[in-house]
Amino acid sequence: MTTTAISESATRAQVAEAIRGRQRFVIASHVRPDGDAIGSQLAMACALRALGKDVRVVNRDRAPEPLLPFPGVADIEIAERVDDPGDAVIVMESGALARTGVEGLERGFVINIDHHLGNTMYGALNWFDLSAAACGEMVFDLIQELGVPLTPEIATHVYVAILTDTGSFHYSSISPRTFEICRQCMEAGVDPPAVARAIYDSGNLGKLRILGAVLNGMELDESGRLATLWIDRTLAAACGGTYDDTEGLNNLPLTVKEIQATVFFKEQAPGDWRVSLRSKGDVDVNAVATQYGGGGHKNASGCSASGDLQGLKHEFAVKVLEQIEIAGSRQ
Ligand code: 5GP
């Protein structure tokens, strides 16, 4: 066993100990929560309730539409402030406390559970595991440490976390442990085809039209290795959809063999853009996102950027192509 593994399991044991000794919990995650955020929060909430704890799950933004049918999602509190942080605040998937977008959490005993590069270690307890393909993997281990049986509901939340945060098992973050956890989740009652249908095949016509419009506006760089996409609210509304309907869209160009990375710009306000980056293999888009104060993982990261779209497209293209070159030179 490596030193990292020893300290990692020691930290997990400390987190379990802190949980056992406390009664009232707030579980938070990041703004615009994704499948890993929601799955990790709800798996943890179920486990804590099984131990007789009082739990509130709080996010600043509501869950993406495809996750709404999953148990417990509709009960997540949407708030910008928490007045009572309980005995402990468990923050999932957030590199910095500010990324929760929820005020008041800092007044509690914060347990920081995350698998992202660059976590700022803002908690009273910080459990950080870069080797986890999803925060859901860490939650799975913690639930085992707490001795809570893997119910079908907990297993489903863990599986949703892993399925979505690995881009449906595409990213290089997956490991044998990922499949071992999924195996146990399936044995506990998860129905992978049903979960996949709920998440990926339950869209609406607006989503399909957005897909067509955004892909129609796709630009390829001269070398054909980088695809750039964009959307603004006018285009989304004209298609009869919303930004929720763009989930997963930036993975599609990567189905083309030659395309190594995608940059997807979503306008938030005039001149304000959310930027979602995706890549294959060794191409490190996180190295680009962090230059803009964002973060994430090597193959999937995000940030915000301001400016005119043409200028930003060029700026990001230069930086991402640089990463494609670096990855190419390593082969
Ligand atoms: P997405 O492109 O789907 O919004 O995010 C991809 C990954 O990057 C997710 O793991 C997400 O948590 C992370 N991410 C996205 N935006 C930001 C950001 O602004 N800051 C940080 N630290 N991580 C981000």
Side-chain angles (χ1 to χ4, degrees):
M1 194 187 257
T2 64
T3 319
T4 318
I6 291 166
S7 66
E8 203 267 318
S9 62
T11 314
R12 187 177 64 228
Q14 266 185 314
V15 169
E17 205 44 48
I19 287 174
R20 282 192 198 98
R22 289 173 167 79
Q23 179 59 32
R24 294 164 55 244
F25 293 84
V26 173
I27 307 180
S29 180
H30 55 77
V31 288
R32 297 178 298 278
D34 55 13
D36 192 18
I38 300 286
S40 298
Q41 284 179 288
L42 292 178
M44 196 70 233
C46 290
L48 294 184
R49 287 181 185 128
L51 291 171
K53 312 283 186 190
D54 305 315
V55 184
R56 289 171 64 191
V57 181
V58 181
N59 282 333
R60 202 213 46 193
D61 299 315
R62 70 180 182 85
E65 189 87 24
L67 296 180
L68 294 180
F70 288 89
V73 178
D75 303 327
I76 296 174
E77 289 178 50
I78 306 300
E80 291 184 356
R81 178 170 182 81
V82 161
D83 289 322
D84 176 6
D87 301 327
V89 174
I90 302 179
V91 181
M92 304 279 186
E93 269 261 293
S94 301
L97 194 54
R99 208 165 129 61
T100 60
V102 179
E103 287 174 19
L105 300 177
E106 71 286 350
R107 291 188 294 110
F109 179 88
V110 173
I111 302 176
N112 165 14
I113 301 180
D114 188 26
H115 69 131
H116 289 95
L117 276 169
N119 187 289
T120 57
M121 302 292 181
Y122 50 83
L125 278 176
N126 298 287
W127 178 30
F128 170 65
D129 182 1
L130 194 53
S131 74
C135 197
E137 286 190 6
M138 301 174 72
V139 169
F140 176 91
D141 290 345
L142 179 57
I143 288 172
Q144 294 220 314
E145 177 104 30
L146 288 166
V148 176
L150 193 59
T151 61
E153 189 171 339
I154 293 176
T156 299
H157 291 312
V158 168
Y159 184 80
V160 165
I162 293 176
L163 177 71
T164 54
D165 226 39
T166 58
S168 313
F169 305 104
H170 271 60
Y171 302 152
S172 54
S173 54
I174 55 176
S175 70
R177 168 187 172 199
T178 311
F179 290 103
E180 173 53 25
I181 293 173
C182 290
R183 183 190 71 73
Q184 292 189 44
C185 286
M186 203 171 161
E187 276 188 355
V190 172
D191 179 353
V195 172
R197 273 198 306 277
I199 293 181
Y200 300 115
D201 303 336
S202 301
N204 52 61
L205 207 52
K207 181 169 179 142
L208 198 64
R209 292 207 172 102
I210 282 185
L211 184 84
V214 170
L215 290 181
N216 201 31
M218 181 178 92
E219 290 169 28
L220 271 185
D221 80 298
E222 268 178 20
S223 71
R225 293 173 300 172
L226 170 67
T228 302
L229 310 164
W230 68 275
I231 191 168
D232 61 17
R233 297 210 192 267
T234 313
L235 181 58
C239 294
T242 69
Y243 283 5
D244 270 1
D245 299 317
T246 63
E247 187 67 34
L249 203 162
N250 48 349
N251 286 311
L252 289 180
L254 297 177
T255 59
V256 175
K257 188 175 177 193
E258 292 75 20
I259 298 180
Q260 297 299 309
T262 62
V263 182
F264 187 14
F265 294 95
K266 289 181 215 175
E267 194 178 46
Q268 304 300 305
D272 266 345
W273 300 85
R274 277 298 303 163
V275 190
S276 249
L277 301 123
R278 297 289 185 272
S279 66
K280 281 179 187 163
D282 253 354
V283 179
D284 185 0
V285 284
N286 186 57
V288 177
T290 50
Q291 293 177 41
Y292 293 84
H297 310 282
K298 187 164 79 176
N299 296 138
S301 54
C303 59
S304 299
S306 305
D308 119 86
L309 182 59
Q310 276 318 108
L312 287 175
K313 278 182 185 169
H314 177 71
E315 208 174 294
F316 275 79
V318 169
K319 291 178 195 289
V320 175
L321 283 166
E322 203 175 281
Q323 293 303 321
I324 293 176
E325 288 299 327
I326 293 171
S329 68
R330 275 198 220 110
Q331 283 170 354

